[in-house]
Every structure is written in C-alpha cells, then in structure tokens.
Amino acid sequence: MKGFLGIDVGSVSTNIVLMDEGGMVVDDIYLRTQGQPITTVQAGLKELADRLPAGTIIRGVGTTGSGRHLAGLIVGADAVKNEITAHAVAASSLVPGVQTILEIGGQDSKIIILRNGVVNDFAMNTVCAAGTGSFLDQQAARLNIPIEKFGENALLARTPVRIAGRCAVFAESDMIHKQQMGCSLPDILAGLCEALVRNYLNNLGKGKEILAPVVFQGGVAANVGMTRAFENALGLSIQVPPYFNVMGAVGAAILAREAVSRKGSSLFKGFGVADTSFRAGSFECSGCANLCEVVEISENNTILARWGDRCGKWNSTAGREEKIS
Amino acid sequence: MPLKVGIPRALLYYYYYPMWRVFFQELGAEVVLSQPSNKGLLATGLKHAVDEVCLPVKLAYGHVLDLAGKSDLIFLPRLVSIGRREYICPKFLGFPDMIRRIKGVPKLIDPNINLYKSRMELYRVVHEVGKLFSCSCYKIGMAYMRSVKVHNQYLKLLRLGLMPAEAMAIVEDRVENLPVPEAVDSFKVALIGHPYNIYDTYVNMNVIKRLKEMGASIMTAEFLPEQVVNNSAARCLPKKLFWTLGQRMAGAAFNYMERSDVAGIVHIAAFGCGPDSMTGELIERSARLNGVPFLNITLDEHTGEAGLLTRLEAFMDMLRWRKAGPAWV
C-alpha cells in the first residue's frame, strides 16, 4: 500500500494519520504531547510503523500545528502548513460543501468561514485560552470526572446554570459558587459548556455569518455537551465529522499529497527517525540588547537548524534553505 | 560645544523626525536618537510606565530613558492637535508629564502643539523652541523653512512607496544602494496601523518583512496623499473621527478596499489602544460588507512569534485560495 502521512503537533495532543492515495484515512494515532514534541512524534511514528502491514510505502509527509516546523524538520516534511489552512483543507475534503468550521483544540480555538469551497474569513483566539480543551480538562480533573465522561454528564442537565464565561478564572469561581449553592453537577457542566460557547461566539464568531453545514472539530468536539450547546446557541445542526480529533493531520496529509505531486519526490526520512537521537538545546545570544533565545536542533550531533533569533544571524548559520521563523 | 537634543525613536518619530532633525541642526544643536527598539528598551519602559497606557507609549518610555545621559535636552512636544478640528490621542498629550516625574531624565523641551483652531499657532511654537537655541528670529525662521522643505520631500518619498527608514536615509543623504524593486506578481496587501506600530520592526516582530517573504507587496496609509485619505474617510464615515491618526488609518483602509488591485487588509492594533479598538472595528465591518479579506493583529508584550506567523500564513493562503478558486489545494 502507498500513502501519505499527516502530523499535527499541537500544544496538548500530537496526531498522526496515514491516508491512502485515494484520500481515505487508513490509520490514526492520537497522543498527548506532554511538553515533549520530539519524543512524542518519534513514539507515534514507531507505533504506526508497528501497526502497518509490511511493504507500506510513504509517498510524502505534511506537518501542521504549533510544532509544525520542529516536526517537519525531524521527519523531513514535504508540506509545512499552518493549522488554519490544514483544518480548512481537511474539512472541505471530508465534508463537501461545508460553510463553517468550528475548531477547538487544547490551547487555541478557531472559526473558519468557507464559501464555494474557498476560505472566506477566519479568526483565531488571541492570548486568552478560556474555553479551550486545557480548561475543560482542568475543570474535569477538579470535579473528579474523567474528561471522556464530561459530555455525557452535561447532557443529563435539566436546567443548566448560568456561568460567566468571559474568563476562565472567573468561570471557575462562578462554578464553585454554584456548586456550594447546591446545583447539581450535570447542570453546572452544561452551564459551563454554554458559557464557553457564548465566549467562543462572542470572541471569534463576532460579525461572521455562520451558515450550515457547520462542522465541529478538534479535540473538544469529543464533548457532546459542547456540541449540544453549539446547536442550542446557533439553532443549526452541527456535524462532528469522523476523525474530528485528527483533522489537522488529515489536512497536512492532503497538503503533502499535493506538494509531492507538484515536485515529484518526497523528503521523508523514513520511520528510522523514531530511533534517531535528536537533541534540542537553547542559548541566549548576547549580540545585541534583544537577547534572543536561540533554539538549536541537532540530529546525531550535527546541527539541523537554529531559530528564534530576530536578526537571522543564527538562522543562516545552519545552512538551511527554508526560513523557519 | 553644541547642545545635544535627544529625540526618542518612538511615536510620531516616524512622521516628523526628518523635520525635527533639520530644525535643530540648523539652530546649531546636535541631534541624538535613541537606539532602535529592542528587548532592553521595552523592559525599561514596562518598568517605569504607568500601567494603563498602551504598548507603544510603554515602549516610548524606554526610548526616552535611553536618552538620559546621552543628551542635554529631550524634545518631547505635547501634541494636542496637528490638524484643524482633530486631536491626537490623549496619551500623547500627557506623555511629557508622565515622563517628567521620572528621576534622572534630562530637561524636556515640551511645547504645546495645538493646531485645533488654526495652523498659525505653529509659528508661536517654532519661536518658543527656537529661542532656546538662538536669539535671531531670522535664523529660527530659516531653520523652520528648511525643515519644512525636508518634511515635504520626506512625505513625497513615502507616497512613492518607500518605508520610513528608506525615505529617512534618502533625505539624510546616506543611501548606500537603491531600494530593490518589488516582485510584480505578488499580492498587494494594505497594512493599516499607527506608524509607530507598523514601522517599528521590533514591536511588530517584523511584520512587513514577513509579509513580503510570503509574497505580499505592502501598501500603507502613507502611500496616499492626505487629500485622498480624507476624501475616502468623509465618504465612508458618518462623521469625522476625532483622532488624526485614526482618521488617516480609516480613510486609507476605505480607499484600499475600493481598489480591485488590493487583495486584502491587515490591521495592526496595539494592546491597550483605545482609538484602535474603535477604528479597527469600523474598518473590519466595512471590509466585511465589501467582501474584502481582513486580518486583525493585536500587538502585545508577548514575544512568541508563532501566533503571528500562523495568522499571517493563513491569511496569505486565503488570498491565494480565493484567487485560484476551490481547486487551489
């Protein structure tokens, strides 16, 4: 079998998918990044290599997510794309005719508006990460319910309580207040989902025309409570596509397929990278008052790349063609 | 020994520095600039600034403090108004007073510049500042005339599409090589924002260079003559904005929106800027009505570049996708 790999290295999860040449997802892996993107990507590739039938040929690799440059460097990516484009590409391929994409991940959330198969507008949360997966995770842990059960519990609510969703810190104190008043847990959870949806629609959806078909993707789409809250708020039915939690990786695989078909060959270094030793170090450049933190990635003691400097002094010493940041 | 006059490389430096420089030099003073913005200056600024001012004013604190010890006087005009029936942001107005309370700052030259009622007021200001350096009215008048000439030359260069740094190099006669002509097949993107945000490469993480690398050719409000900007603003806004800079940004954005050769608009706002939150919204609503791609970027003290890059990349992808149609992927 021949296929394309898509790797999405996000703040919370790292996802890898294998897509066949026809664009069907063959296998997918969802791992927690746990602050170690390099080892997580390696572990994911190893797991995938073990599961694949012998003779599988990888024709190309694409990376996306906030760790896309790092992952791209490690595996030898053919396409390195931002997560907004990757999510839009994946959704428009899996759900033809989609007009609105709601995406909530571990630390960020986005809204993408498509018209006639083309991205028309998008927005991404700014510094505030209220209402993203990490916050839900933290609240679930505080209430001692597994995050997987969060949504089911929220669906049991009879009268969701009103929680201030503007800010995660205030939302938490509001939840504690409601819990001490004796509101039931499902009502609080459903109230929280509603608050987060309100926050999302106010911050990102502001002024945008949200038309059906609407898809909801990203890790948080696993939470049926959130889907229900979106449906109630928008008055539209929401589709959660298959592979909703690895959509970024699906998009990266599609973009890799296009990149390879344009240039004819792949840069993929092979599954062997799982056993290669990569090292990331950093130092502070004292060349000027900016004191940039320069990150250095090396493979078996040869430097692959450096980045993080503003002036490009270190960037260029690594002798790479593509500029990273 | 000539008196050293310090000029912070911040705020309206990007509009008026060539003029101020010539004026002080003609009067026999030596002009000293603060360093280009960097992490150290921002850190100093954050340490001394009052907490409710916007990011660019905090950075300006750093620039002023950088001049302490390097100059005898600091030129920090109290800019109330630079146009008839318009105002400059109140934070600029209070800036000399915010600075004065800091120990160790050299004496300020802080004339009131208030042209709200009449431009004639400017002559009084010129005389007030000039007499610190010379008692000859003729000399002061000549210095002013020369500075205006350079100012007009500078504005002309900006309208030709040069960035302030390039135009300043030309008027100061220190050009080493001519600016490279831009690629023809790139997308025209209008970059709208306060000059001290869009031209300060540190605070905006080099947004102009990054957009150019991604295939955009940049147009800013400074490329347009004032009359054109004001006409566009008058046509698209129900009433005139109070702020000169906001009016200029909105007018330029409306003008670019109506042009078919401009593919999209990027608006740069500073965290904590009151006028930006209003003009940005006015521009965004109008862009949406006209179906023009719009991206808003808020600059803050964060040094992480990933968020900026992701947005700029996605924006450029969107422009390409829109141009090529659904088959772009």
Side-chain angles (χ1 to χ4, degrees):
Chain A
M1 193 193 70
K2 291 177 182 172
F4 296 89
L5 281 182
I7 305 177
D8 180 355
V9 182
S11 53
V12 173
S13 73
T14 293
N15 319 317
I16 305 182
V17 302
L18 176 71
M19 188 184 83
D20 68 14
E21 288 177 300
M24 298 298 289
V25 178
V26 181
D27 205 343
D28 67 289
I29 289 178
Y30 181 96
L31 296 167
R32 295 243 163 187
T33 310
Q34 291 175 323
Q36 300 182 35
I38 299 179
T39 35
T40 313
V41 169
Q42 287 180 310
L45 285 177
K46 203 178 182 89
E47 195 183 326
L48 188 68
D50 292 343
R51 287 205 318 227
L52 290 180
T56 307
I57 295 169
I58 302 300
R59 293 203 42 218
V61 192
T63 59
T64 187
S66 43
R68 61 186 179 279
H69 295 299
L70 186 59
L73 198 65
I74 287 171
V75 299
D78 302 299
V80 178
K81 255 303 170 215
N82 63 83
E83 51 272 36
I84 297 168
T85 307
H87 274 281
V89 165
S92 57
S93 148
L94 293 186
V95 187
V98 58
Q99 298 215 78
T100 308
I101 301 170
L102 315 171
E103 198 271 344
I104 306 186
Q107 290 266 307
D108 61 16
S109 47
K110 325 169 184 63
I111 185 166
I112 307 169
I113 306 288
L114 291 104
R115 292 292 180 267
N116 306 316
V118 171
V119 173
N120 209 30
D121 200 1
F122 65 84
M124 195 172 167
N125 63 333
T126 48
V127 279
C128 175
T132 55
S134 301
F135 176 61
L136 287 174
D137 234 8
Q138 186 201 342
Q139 290 312 312
R142 192 178 66 81
L143 297 167
N144 201 19
I145 33 171
I147 186 72
E148 296 77 16
K149 294 267 166 24
F150 191 113
E152 291 170 30
N153 262 300
L155 289 189
L156 300 175
R158 294 225 194 97
T159 45
V161 296
R162 173 97 185 177
I163 288 170
R166 260 288 167 210
C167 166
V169 178
F170 293 138
E172 175 166 342
S173 48
D174 217 11
M175 279 168 70
I176 294 175
H177 171 67
K178 294 281 154 51
Q179 128 210 338
Q180 310 297 53
M181 273 169 60
C183 300
S184 78
L185 190 59
D187 284 351
I188 294 176
L189 294 179
L192 182 63
C193 290
E194 285 181 0
L196 298 186
V197 164
R198 252 193 331 267
N199 182 7
Y200 176 98
L201 293 175
N202 284 335
N203 278 338
L204 302 181
K206 184 181 66 173
K208 296 188 171 54
E209 200 185 7
I210 297 177
L211 298 180
V214 182
V215 301
F216 180 24
Q217 57 197 44
V220 173
N223 185 327
V224 282
M226 288 294 286
T227 314
R228 173 73 63 85
F230 268 119
E231 288 183 328
N232 289 342
L234 294 172
L236 296 168
S237 83
I238 309 277
Q239 289 183 48
V240 176
Y243 311 112
F244 63 89
N245 58 349
V246 295
M247 285 296 260
V250 173
I254 297 174
L255 289 162
R257 183 178 66 187
E258 301 313 312
V260 170
S261 79
R262 264 199 307 274
K263 53 182 190 159
S265 63
S266 172
L267 299 169
F268 183 47
K269 295 183 186 169
F271 283 105
V273 294
D275 303 314
T276 314
S277 127
F278 289 98
R279 216 163 40 82
S282 69
F283 59 91
E284 197 177 72
C285 169
S286 51
C288 74
N290 280 332
L291 306 175
C292 297
E293 229 168 76
V294 183
V295 177
E296 190 178 82
I297 313 291
S298 44
E299 174 183 0
N300 296 334
N301 298 323
T302 47
I303 293 161
L304 282 182
R306 290 194 182 110
W307 58 64
D309 52 333
R310 274 169 182 269
C311 63
K313 174 166 118 186
W314 296 103
N315 226 326
S316 49
T317 53
R320 290 178 326 104
E321 283 173 10
E322 190 209 11
K323 271 267 208 60
I324 279 184
S325 57
Chain B
M1 255 254 313
L3 274 175
K4 285 185 192 158
V5 177
I7 297 181
R9 216 186 274 254
L11 304 178
L12 290 189
Y13 154 87
Y14 298 94
Y15 278 167
Y16 296 119
Y17 172 67
M19 181 184 189
W20 293 343
R21 182 185 66 92
V22 170
F23 181 69
F24 289 115
Q25 282 178 347
E26 289 287 322
L27 290 172
E30 188 190 328
V31 173
V32 185
L33 267 179
S34 56
Q35 314 167 45
S37 299
N38 58 46
K39 200 177 186 176
L41 290 190
L42 181 60
T44 318
L46 292 174
K47 197 172 132 198
H48 288 88
V50 291
D51 54 4
E52 63 260 44
V53 292
C54 59
L55 182 72
V57 170
K58 288 179 179 170
L59 186 59
Y61 267 82
H63 281 280
V64 171
L65 288 163
D66 184 53
L67 290 166
K70 290 186 192 167
S71 56
D72 307 309
L73 293 159
I74 293 180
F75 182 57
L76 215 57
R78 185 191 311 279
L79 291 158
V80 181
S81 164
I82 55 168
R84 204 174 131 67
R85 300 183 63 78
E86 286 172 8
Y87 278 115
I88 286 288
C89 169
K91 284 167 188 161
F92 281 55
L93 200 157
F95 191 53
D97 298 313
M98 294 186 225
I99 290 297
R100 211 191 311 277
R101 62 172 191 99
I102 304 174
K103 282 201 184 83
V105 173
K107 192 170 179 292
L108 302 182
I109 310 176
D110 60 339
N112 244 8
I113 300 185
N114 185 350
L115 313 183
Y116 188 84
K117 286 188 180 135
S118 151
R119 283 198 75 80
M120 298 305 281
E121 173 68 9
L122 195 57
Y123 300 110
R124 191 195 59 74
V125 175
V126 167
H127 188 73
E128 181 192 323
V129 176
K131 73 175 198 277
L132 296 172
F133 300 87
S134 165
C135 39
S136 154
C137 281
Y138 174 73
K139 202 173 168 193
I140 298 171
M142 283 308 284
Y144 173 68
M145 302 276 273
R146 294 214 171 99
S147 70
V148 171
K149 199 173 148 215
V150 169
H151 182 60
N152 289 333
Q153 189 198 352
Y154 175 67
L155 291 184
K156 212 180 205 169
L157 290 169
L158 292 183
R159 282 202 291 277
L160 286 175
L162 294 182
M163 290 294 138
E166 298 162 338
M168 281 180 194
I170 291 174
V171 298
E172 288 170 30
D173 208 11
R174 51 178 173 80
V175 186
E176 279 151 19
N177 47 3
L178 288 168
V180 187
E182 282 170 13
V184 229
D185 61 337
S186 53
F187 284 94
K188 281 187 183 154
V189 172
L191 186 68
I192 303 294
H194 288 295
Y196 44 84
N197 292 330
I198 61 178
Y199 300 126
D200 187 325
T201 52
Y202 175 78
V203 81
N204 65 27
M205 302 184 224
N206 231 336
V207 71
I208 294 185
K209 185 164 156 254
R210 287 174 194 284
L211 278 168
K212 281 186 178 167
E213 282 169 358
M214 293 174 192
S217 82
I218 302 295
M219 330 262 294
T220 69
E222 282 64 57
F223 289 18
L224 299 171
E226 197 160 338
Q227 197 54 46
V228 171
V229 170
N230 284 337
N231 287 346
S232 294
R235 209 168 47 246
C236 300
L237 289 173
K239 67 184 274 252
K240 201 172 166 185
L241 287 174
F242 306 110
W243 315 287
T244 306
L245 300 179
Q247 169 90 357
R248 169 155 274 275
M249 284 153 56
F254 295 141
N255 185 276
Y256 286 134
M257 254 175 240
E258 288 166 354
R259 287 170 50 166
S260 56
D261 61 332
V262 176
I265 294 179
V266 176
H267 177 252
I268 304 269
F271 188 73
C273 176
D276 269 355
S277 57
M278 168 121 174
T279 43
E281 184 70 28
L282 287 170
I283 295 170
E284 183 170 0
R285 285 185 189 187
S286 173
R288 194 157 285 140
L289 274 178
N290 289 299
V292 177
F294 177 88
L295 174 70
N296 184 49
I297 286 175
T298 305
L299 303 175
D300 55 26
E301 294 148 31
H302 269 229
T303 50
E305 299 179 337
L308 175 77
L309 272 179
T310 299
R311 286 172 178 81
L312 293 180
E313 266 183 49
F315 187 71
M316 292 305 293
D317 280 347
M318 175 165 85
L319 298 187
R320 294 207 174 84
W321 202 339
R322 282 169 73 111
K323 194 178 173 194
W328 174 74
V329 182

